[in-house]
Amino acid sequence: MSLREKKKREVKNKILYAAEKLFKEQGFEKTTTNQIAKEAGIASGTAFNYFDTKAEILLAVFANQNKDVEDYVYSIMETEDPSEIIFNYLWHHSQQLTKIDKTLLKELLQAFVTSYKNNPTLIKQLIEIDLGFIDKLTKIMTELKDKNLIKNNFQNELAAEIIYSTLVYEFVNYAFGEDVDKRTLKDRIKQKIEFLI
């Protein structure tokens, strides 16, 4: 990696760190790109050399997060109900999105769509996160199969993809549905997992 590339990566990481800090402290809507730049110690316009919009910065923050979930997975395996285990795993990882205001969630989904052409690297990172999530779900179901909590002929990979698709559908419905609150979202996800498992 050249010195120039290293410097660019450092600046980008400063922006992401500053944005994540400010989003947590004061929320997405109250945080401005100028505040992010100031917190990162860069000129106001520099952030736009890396990201087109504030929503794109938020997408990058999500893509940049690399959470270690092993301890949580093992703690939920204590119950004998496979649908509860899978639901608890899904809900644990979805709660971050439920803390975001619905208006912002809509912006985030729209930024995801518009970033497809503008920033294919970011989209690739987000897809890798999704694939990792599906892979982890598949491994959980394999463990459940090993413990005889689900049938031996249960197709883990196919089920993981269907469950993930269901989760995405419910979050889109939650973001854009006026009458869908967090409780309804949670109940719908749980009901569908119980049906599938």
Side-chain angles (χ1 to χ4, degrees):
M1 182 186 298
S2 72
L3 186 60
R4 185 173 188 270
E5 288 171 336
K6 189 177 178 183
K7 180 73 173 166
K8 283 180 81 172
R9 180 181 283 185
E10 286 174 8
V11 172
K12 185 175 181 180
N13 286 337
K14 283 181 183 180
I15 293 168
L16 294 177
Y17 177 78
E20 184 175 8
K21 180 177 182 278
L22 291 170
F23 291 158
K24 283 179 181 175
E25 288 175 359
Q26 54 193 43
F28 176 83
E29 290 182 29
K30 291 182 181 176
T31 301
T32 66
T33 51
N34 285 340
Q35 288 174 324
I36 293 170
K38 185 176 179 183
E39 181 72 28
I42 60 173
S44 294
T46 303
F48 292 108
N49 292 334
Y50 296 85
F51 304 99
D52 292 332
T53 64
K54 186 171 65 164
E56 199 173 291
I57 294 172
L58 180 61
L59 275 176
V61 167
F62 280 133
N64 200 43
Q65 289 175 344
N66 186 13
K67 296 180 180 176
D68 180 16
V69 297
E70 294 300 322
D71 291 341
Y72 182 76
V73 169
Y74 289 116
S75 73
I76 64 172
M77 290 298 235
E78 293 173 5
T79 180
E80 295 289 311
D81 182 352
S83 63
E84 187 179 334
I85 290 168
I86 292 166
F87 170 75
N88 286 339
Y89 172 73
L90 293 175
W91 192 248
H92 175 76
H93 293 288
S94 301
Q95 282 185 320
Q96 184 179 1
L97 289 174
T98 64
K99 293 175 184 172
I100 299 172
D101 180 74
K102 278 185 160 191
T103 306
L104 170 59
L105 197 52
K106 287 179 199 174
E107 278 185 55
L108 188 60
L109 292 168
Q110 290 166 346
F112 180 80
V113 172
T114 56
S115 294
Y116 181 75
K117 289 182 180 177
N118 300 340
N119 197 339
T121 304
L122 176 61
I123 298 305
K124 186 178 177 187
Q125 288 176 316
L126 290 168
I127 290 170
E128 286 173 10
I129 289 170
D130 292 344
L131 292 175
F133 184 85
I134 292 169
D135 183 55
K136 177 54 73 179
L137 199 50
T138 303
K139 287 177 182 173
I140 290 170
M141 287 189 278
T142 300
E143 276 198 54
L144 292 172
K145 196 182 279 188
D146 291 345
K147 291 182 175 190
N148 295 316
L149 295 176
I150 54 178
K151 293 180 181 177
N152 245 358
N153 64 350
F154 191 79
Q155 296 181 35
N156 297 352
E157 290 177 20
L158 182 60
E161 289 177 15
I162 292 169
I163 289 168
Y164 178 76
S165 299
T166 299
L167 187 66
V168 170
Y169 169 79
E170 289 301 339
F171 264 95
V172 170
N173 193 31
Y174 166 72
F176 291 94
E178 297 294 325
D179 60 336
V180 183
D181 59 9
K182 290 175 190 174
R183 181 78 229 167
T184 305
L185 170 69
K186 187 175 182 178
D187 290 345
R188 285 183 181 176
I189 293 170
K190 189 168 191 171
Q191 183 181 34
K192 289 182 178 181
I193 299 306
E194 287 171 355
F195 174 78
L196 289 168
I197 304 299

